[in-house]
């Protein structure tokens, strides 16, 4: 696909539209198995979305007065945002700690994070009964400042902007806008710092939403530390997603990646695995502390207790040990397996808070089980996100090297530093 | 690290942005979370020993609030416990207890410090100074009020394209005109007693002290979830007549208070810490490491 990559010379608006029109055309094969499966689902999902908008939530969902939040919140938003956590962690590692080793995966992760927020947090839009009022907390009709959800909604918006700024130099490189790219790169570090602060708060904020459901969430899961648990779990959720998504991307888009990065990628995976192992251990330790302090271990003997142990032992401790093993013996297969188990664990954990351990006392016959239409719409959202991701990766320098001119610009000030002829501020490339 | 013009502006800018958003996103009325609402608002005492299950209150409520009028002569509704719904803001249930049949009217409890109000991100739910908790149309339909309500009162119209949250508003429109809520006026047995919350607590205590054999010595709602506008007295313990007695006395907004307090702190301290770390790691960049 590298041959398709063009280095556009955009001088005026006409060039710009010509370029965009050219890029909008599909690249690569159209009838791939993935397309054949995903396209009908996206179409069906779109039709169901229209029904939902015209006839109300009840027409496509199984939501009830007992269970007002279903998988669109419990899975799409809660899990989607946790998985998007990789963006704030990797930008922290690369831009704040300056671990250049992880630089090759930053762009894909930030893009993935941005799209996750747009699509999965966008699922909120479908879930809102009165979606036309979605701007109310932003425009001040009215500001419900005492609400955790107010904080989360503002943070979603601001964080999406931060992620877009972090990603924007890539778009500038794609369009060949040299001057604009230089300006956008200077914004990156600010966006990163702001983004990390926002992420800390809204990752934990999603957990804090459940604090007022004290009487409804099983005591093994309910603790005043839910926000901290959500934050820590977003670390390994995000990193596991980077391992998972990175592995797939490296297979699917392997022609975009130069051999040097192919090699370094394995080392990156091991590094990420190390991070996951640490975060999982911290999380496990916290879970144990909370359990001991709550003095509720007698509940472990109940059916919900078994379910709790499956989550904590099977989906937290087990992948934690697998990660340690994989890192110790440099075994990538084990690391990838552990990443998948971790992701499963995060899905189960978020569903527990929103659906499974939520009102655990309600008998199964009256419980919420998602309708096929809710699942189709969720799948359609995921597939659309993958389509957009693929479209961008095939066109912009996300996985492949930036165009030559980016390096040309950088070498100049670097040489000058060596000659020590210019004041330092000119050389500060962020 | 030398501070030069550019990095000064950068740090200054980020700092200001942090400070601004800290101020903006800070729970401004943090006091609102903690302040003890002076219980000088109206409430209603439900004396379940006087209720005969005539359901006049249901009919009056439906009429006053333009809801479908129920057939109150239909006794079959008592066969199973009903919950309030989008079309019934109040329902009367019958319970078989150790001391015989007890009828209990249920509706929004109008908490002193309601979870639903703290949950609402657009203040569509509001605790009015007269006492009622009301809903307004600037609601987004996020339904966060539903899991946040200890009594599961807000009901959402899932079948509508223009859905509303339906719940008792203590006839707020009537209160403003100086009238009593419709259900109170309709009750033929005097089971509903309307007044300032302080007064109805006195009245409840008076009834319990005067006839200690007729009442279980507890006023449900005096302290539950920090106190509610509706108060109940009964001849049997409250778990026998469909009340949750495990809710505690902490007002629900208190549960999110700690988290909300940490927000401005994190928004100010985190960025400064990150800027510091970023500055410390800076030198390495010039030594080696390719910049991308």
């Amino acid at each position: 696909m590298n041959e398709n990559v063009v280095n556009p010379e955009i001088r005026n608006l006409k060039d710009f539209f010509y370029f965009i029109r050219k890029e909008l055309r599909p690249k690569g094969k159209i009838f791939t198995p993935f397309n054949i499966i995903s396209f009908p689902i996206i179409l069906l999902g779109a039709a169901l979305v229209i029904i939902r908008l015209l006839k109300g939530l009840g027409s496509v969902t199984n939501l009830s007065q007992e269970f007002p939040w279903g998988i669109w919140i419990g899975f799409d938003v809660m899990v989607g945002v946790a998985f998007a956590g990789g963006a704030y962690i990797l930008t922290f590692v690369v831009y704040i700690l300056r671990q250049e080793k992880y630089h090759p995966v930053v762009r894909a992760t930030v893009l993935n994070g941005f799209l996750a927020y747009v699509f999965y947090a966008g699922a909120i839009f479908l879930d809102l009964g009165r979606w036309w009022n979605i701007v109310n907390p932003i425009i001040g009709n009215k500001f419900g400042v005492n609400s955790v959800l107010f904080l989360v909604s503002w943070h979603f918006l601001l964080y999406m902007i931060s992620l877009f700024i972090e990603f924007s130099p890539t778009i500038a490189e794609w369009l060949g806008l040299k001057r604009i790219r230089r300006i956008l790169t200077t914004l990156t570090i600010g966006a990163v710092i702001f983004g990390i602060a926002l992420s800390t708060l809204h990752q934990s904020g999603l957990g804090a939403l459940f604090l007022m459901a004290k009487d409804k969430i099983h005591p093994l899961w309910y603790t005043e530390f839910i926000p901290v648990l959500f934050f820590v779990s977003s670390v390994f959720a995000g990193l596991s997603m980077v391992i998972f998504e990175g592995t797939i991307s490296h297979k699917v888009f392997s022609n975009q990646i130069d051999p040097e990065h192919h090699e370094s990628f394995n080392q990156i995976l091991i590094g990420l695995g190390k991070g996951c192992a640490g975060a999982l251990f911290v999380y496990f330790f916290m879970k144990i502390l909370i359990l001991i302090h709550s003095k509720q271990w007698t509940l472990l003997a109940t059916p919900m207790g078994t379910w709790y142990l499956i989550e904590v032992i099977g989906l937290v401790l087990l992948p934690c040990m697998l990660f340690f093993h994989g890192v110790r013996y440099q075994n990538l297969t084990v690391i990838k397996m552990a990443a998948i188990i971790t992701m499963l664990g995060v899905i189960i954990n978020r569903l527990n808070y929103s659906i499974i351990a939520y009102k655990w006392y309600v008998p199964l016959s009256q419980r919420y089980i998602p309708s096929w239409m809710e699942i189709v719409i969720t799948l359609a959202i995921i597939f659309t996100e993958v389509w957009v991701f693929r479209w961008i990766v095939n066109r912009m320098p996300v996985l492949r090297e930036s165009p030559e001119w980016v390096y040309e610009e950088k070498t100049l000030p670097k040489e000058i530093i060596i000659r020590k002829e210019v004041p330092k501020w000119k050389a500060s490339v962020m | 690290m030398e501070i030069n013009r550019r990095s000064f502006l950068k740090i200054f800018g980020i700092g200001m942005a942090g400070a601004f958003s800290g101020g903006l996103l800070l729970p401004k009325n943090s006091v609102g979370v903690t302040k003890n609402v002076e219980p000088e608002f109206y409430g209603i005492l439900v004396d379940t020993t006087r209720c005969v299950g005539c359901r006049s209150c249901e009919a009056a409520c439906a009429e006053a609030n333009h809801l479908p009028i129920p057939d109150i002569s239909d006794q079959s509704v008592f066969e199973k416990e009903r919950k309030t719904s989008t079309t019934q803001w109040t329902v009367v249930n019958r319970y078989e207890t150790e001391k015989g049949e007890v009828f209990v009217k249920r509706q929004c409890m109008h908490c002193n410090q309601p979870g639903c109000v703290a949950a609402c991100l657009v203040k569509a739910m509001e605790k009015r100074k007269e006492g009622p908790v009301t809903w307004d149309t600037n609601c987004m339909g996020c339904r966060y009020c539903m899991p946040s309500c200890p009594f599961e009162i807000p009901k959402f119209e899932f079948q509508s394209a223009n859905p509303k949250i339906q719940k008792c508003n203590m006839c707020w429109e009537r209160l403003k005109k100086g009238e009593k809520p419709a259900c109170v006026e309709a009750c033929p047995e005097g089971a509903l007693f309307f007044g300032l919350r302080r007064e109805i607590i006195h009245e409840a205590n008076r009834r319990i002290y005067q006839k200690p054999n007729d009442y279980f010595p507890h006023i449900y709602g005096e302290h539950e979830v920090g106190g509610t506008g509706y108060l109940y007295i009964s001849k049997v313990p409250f778990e026998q007549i469909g009340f949750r007695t495990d809710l505690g006395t902490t007002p629900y907004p208190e549960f999110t208070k700690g988290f909300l307090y940490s927000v401005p702190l994190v928004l100010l301290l985190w960025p400064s810490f990150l800027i510091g770390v970023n500055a410390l790691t800076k030198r390495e960049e010039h030594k080696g490491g390719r910049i991308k």
Side-chain angles (χ1 to χ4, degrees):
Chain A
M1 238 165 270
N2 270 333
E3 311 83 67
N4 292 346
V5 173
V6 275
N7 235 342
E9 281 292 330
I10 295 176
R11 290 196 192 79
N12 53 35
L13 219 56
K14 208 179 132 199
D15 284 355
F16 178 74
F17 285 122
Y18 176 73
F19 175 70
I20 295 291
R21 219 176 58 206
K22 204 160 79 265
E23 290 284 86
L24 278 175
R25 279 189 220 121
K27 293 184 178 185
K29 274 197 289 184
I30 292 176
F31 293 101
T32 59
F34 173 75
N35 285 359
I36 291 169
I37 296 170
S38 61
F39 190 64
I41 292 182
I42 292 175
L43 280 187
L44 182 58
L48 291 172
V49 166
I50 293 171
I51 296 177
R52 176 260 167 273
L53 292 177
L54 291 179
K55 296 205 160 168
L57 277 166
S59 58
V60 294
T61 68
N62 275 349
L63 297 173
S64 62
Q65 308 296 351
E66 289 269 347
F67 292 89
W69 284 353
I71 56 165
W72 288 352
I73 298 289
F75 180 79
D76 297 21
V77 178
M78 296 284 170
V79 179
V81 168
F83 283 166
Y88 82 87
I89 298 161
L90 274 190
T91 52
F92 174 72
V93 169
V94 171
Y95 292 102
I96 307 292
L97 301 180
R98 287 177 218 260
Q99 299 288 312
E100 286 300 319
K101 177 178 148 189
Y102 299 98
H103 215 137
V105 289
V106 159
R107 281 191 171 179
T109 309
V110 168
L111 173 62
N112 215 19
F114 175 68
L115 292 180
Y117 273 87
V118 170
F119 281 90
Y120 305 144
I124 288 177
F125 178 81
L126 292 180
D127 194 73
L128 287 179
R130 304 168 66 83
W131 46 267
W132 55 90
N133 280 339
I134 193 167
V135 291
N136 278 357
I138 309 294
I139 62 170
N141 179 23
K142 307 161 186 170
F143 290 134
V145 285
N146 288 331
S147 169
V148 177
L149 197 56
F150 178 76
L151 170 120
V152 171
S153 64
W154 263 94
H155 281 200
F156 273 8
L157 177 75
L158 294 174
Y159 188 53
M160 271 193 236
I161 297 171
S162 302
L163 281 175
F164 185 74
I165 293 173
E166 286 166 30
F167 186 71
S168 59
T170 317
I171 302 176
E173 285 171 21
W174 170 58
L175 295 172
L177 304 168
K178 299 183 186 178
R179 234 185 97 76
I180 292 177
R181 184 195 174 278
R182 217 176 311 147
I183 299 167
L184 290 174
T185 5
T186 59
L187 298 175
T188 302
I189 190 71
V192 164
I193 289 174
F194 197 46
I196 294 168
L198 292 169
S199 289
T200 316
L201 284 168
H202 71 246
Q203 292 284 0
S204 48
L206 283 179
L209 288 180
F210 293 106
L211 286 174
M212 282 201 288
K214 186 172 197 269
D215 53 304
K216 302 180 187 71
I217 291 172
H218 192 280
L220 282 174
W221 279 271
Y222 186 88
T223 145
E224 56 188 303
F225 298 109
I226 295 177
V228 187
L229 290 175
F230 265 57
F231 173 66
V232 176
S233 54
S234 78
V235 175
F236 54 78
L239 291 179
S240 297
M241 187 65 193
V242 177
I243 295 175
F244 180 75
E245 173 267 322
T247 307
I248 294 177
S249 290
H250 270 241
K251 284 222 176 69
V252 177
F253 304 109
S254 66
N255 50 0
Q256 298 205 14
I257 301 158
D258 59 48
E260 181 200 338
H261 278 175
H262 267 299
E263 302 227 325
S264 76
F265 185 64
N266 291 345
Q267 283 310 309
I268 291 175
L269 284 190
I270 289 169
L272 295 173
K274 213 184 279 175
C276 270
L280 276 164
F281 186 75
V282 169
Y283 184 76
F284 179 73
F285 194 73
M286 286 168 59
K287 275 278 199 188
I288 297 299
L289 274 185
I290 289 168
L291 178 69
I292 291 171
H293 279 276
S294 69
K295 298 199 175 79
Q296 274 157 340
W297 46 79
T298 47
L299 289 173
L300 291 178
T302 62
M304 283 313 276
T306 316
W307 182 235
Y308 175 84
L309 287 177
I310 290 174
E311 188 197 314
V312 175
I313 308 278
L315 301 171
V316 176
L317 186 61
L318 174 73
C320 174
M321 287 175 351
L322 285 178
F323 272 125
F324 272 123
H325 179 92
V327 171
R328 173 78 181 74
Y329 297 99
Q330 309 268 304
N331 189 335
L332 290 175
T333 325
V334 172
I335 289 183
K336 288 170 190 171
M337 239 167 57
I340 291 172
I341 301 175
T342 307
M343 289 167 70
L344 187 68
V346 172
I347 295 173
I348 295 289
N349 177 262
R350 298 303 194 261
L351 289 182
N352 269 335
Y353 278 107
S354 52
I355 295 162
I356 303 170
Y358 182 85
K359 289 197 192 168
W360 77 102
Y361 45 81
V362 174
L364 189 65
S365 58
Q366 292 160 38
R367 295 196 66 85
Y368 162 81
I369 291 156
S371 72
W372 67 267
M373 292 180 278
E374 285 177 88
I375 295 170
V376 166
I377 290 181
T378 298
L379 285 176
I381 292 171
I382 294 173
F383 284 140
T384 317
E385 196 241 349
V386 175
W387 276 48
V388 174
F389 183 79
R390 183 177 62 178
W391 187 88
I392 294 175
V393 168
N394 275 334
R395 281 157 187 83
M396 300 182 196
V398 176
L399 292 171
R400 64 165 173 268
E401 289 287 309
S402 301
E404 277 305 310
W405 56 265
V406 174
Y407 297 106
E408 282 159 18
E409 282 199 344
K410 271 178 189 160
T411 47
L412 189 66
K414 244 188 173 176
E415 283 164 7
I416 298 171
I417 302 171
I418 297 161
R419 280 192 243 124
K420 290 178 182 166
E421 277 177 11
V422 223
K424 205 177 170 191
W425 59 269
K426 272 195 179 165
S428 63
V429 186
M430 286 282 197
Chain B
M1 189 186 103
E2 292 165 44
I3 299 265
N4 43 48
R5 190 185 58 140
R6 179 173 291 195
S7 61
F8 169 75
L9 286 177
K10 220 171 262 169
I11 293 170
F12 183 72
I14 294 166
M16 287 306 283
F20 171 71
S21 42
L24 181 76
L25 303 180
L26 173 135
K28 185 176 62 186
N29 303 343
S30 323
V31 235
V33 185
T34 43
K35 81 172 170 219
N36 284 320
V37 181
E38 281 298 317
E40 271 303 301
F41 39 67
Y42 291 105
I44 292 167
L45 175 67
V46 184
D47 189 338
T48 57
T49 62
R50 296 189 185 184
C51 181
V52 294
C54 70
R55 297 174 65 209
S56 304
C57 50
E58 286 186 25
C61 172
E63 204 184 319
N65 297 299
H66 315 290
L67 301 168
I69 313 275
D71 172 17
I72 59 171
S73 58
D74 179 10
Q75 292 290 308
S76 65
V77 293
F78 290 127
E79 275 157 27
K80 64 175 191 204
E81 187 181 39
R82 293 181 299 159
K83 289 186 169 152
T84 60
S85 70
T86 50
T87 53
Q88 295 163 296
W89 289 358
T90 184
V91 292
V92 178
N93 280 316
R94 185 178 64 196
Y95 295 91
E96 298 299 332
T97 69
E98 57 188 25
K99 293 188 176 170
E101 272 182 355
V102 175
F103 292 97
V104 183
K105 171 188 185 298
R106 295 304 297 266
Q107 71 297 306
C108 174
M109 298 290 283
H110 301 284
C111 306
N112 294 3
Q113 297 181 56
C116 59
V117 172
C120 189
L121 75 169
V122 292
K123 286 189 181 162
M125 283 284 183
E126 244 180 293
K127 177 78 176 168
R128 303 288 175 176
K129 64 176 193 301
E130 294 87 351
V133 176
T134 60
W135 176 87
D136 203 358
T137 48
N138 63 329
C139 164
M140 288 163 61
C142 72
R143 311 187 296 290
Y144 182 30
C145 48
M146 298 170 75
S148 305
C149 173
F151 306 101
E152 297 179 46
I153 288 303
K155 295 290 177 333
F156 182 82
E157 294 177 328
F158 284 104
Q159 299 305 329
S160 165
N162 180 13
K164 299 181 185 70
I165 292 283
Q166 297 281 9
K167 69 181 247 338
C168 160
N169 58 16
M170 216 195 261
C171 290
W172 186 52
E173 294 298 323
R174 292 170 61 99
L175 286 192
K176 282 196 291 189
K177 282 186 271 176
E179 296 168 38
K180 287 181 183 177
C183 54
V184 177
E185 273 194 352
C187 185
E189 302 294 327
L192 302 174
F193 178 81
F194 174 81
L196 288 174
R197 189 167 183 272
R198 189 170 39 85
E199 292 169 6
I200 62 171
I201 290 176
H202 282 313
E203 175 64 17
N205 278 321
R206 193 185 64 78
R207 290 186 195 178
I208 293 174
Y209 288 144
Q210 277 185 348
K211 294 180 180 171
N213 294 330
D214 288 4
Y215 291 100
F216 178 75
H218 181 74
I219 306 171
Y220 191 94
E222 187 181 4
H223 301 298
E224 273 78 6
V225 298
T228 59
Y230 257 88
L231 297 165
Y232 286 81
I233 47 177
S234 147
K235 59 182 168 189
V236 291
F238 284 91
E239 53 272 16
Q240 292 184 25
I241 51 172
F243 285 90
R244 282 191 78 156
T245 49
D246 59 348
L247 295 176
T249 54
T250 313
Y252 267 42
E254 294 279 325
F255 295 131
T256 54
K257 197 180 74 179
F259 175 76
L260 288 171
Y261 275 178
S262 72
V263 170
L265 275 182
V266 173
L267 271 185
L268 289 174
L269 297 184
W270 233 154
S272 12
F273 171 74
L274 294 172
I275 291 169
V277 176
N278 180 258
L280 286 175
T281 53
K282 195 158 203 166
R283 283 186 162 269
E284 311 241 335
E285 184 188 349
H286 296 296
K287 280 183 198 157
R290 193 181 56 153
I291 325 150
K292 193 173 180 183

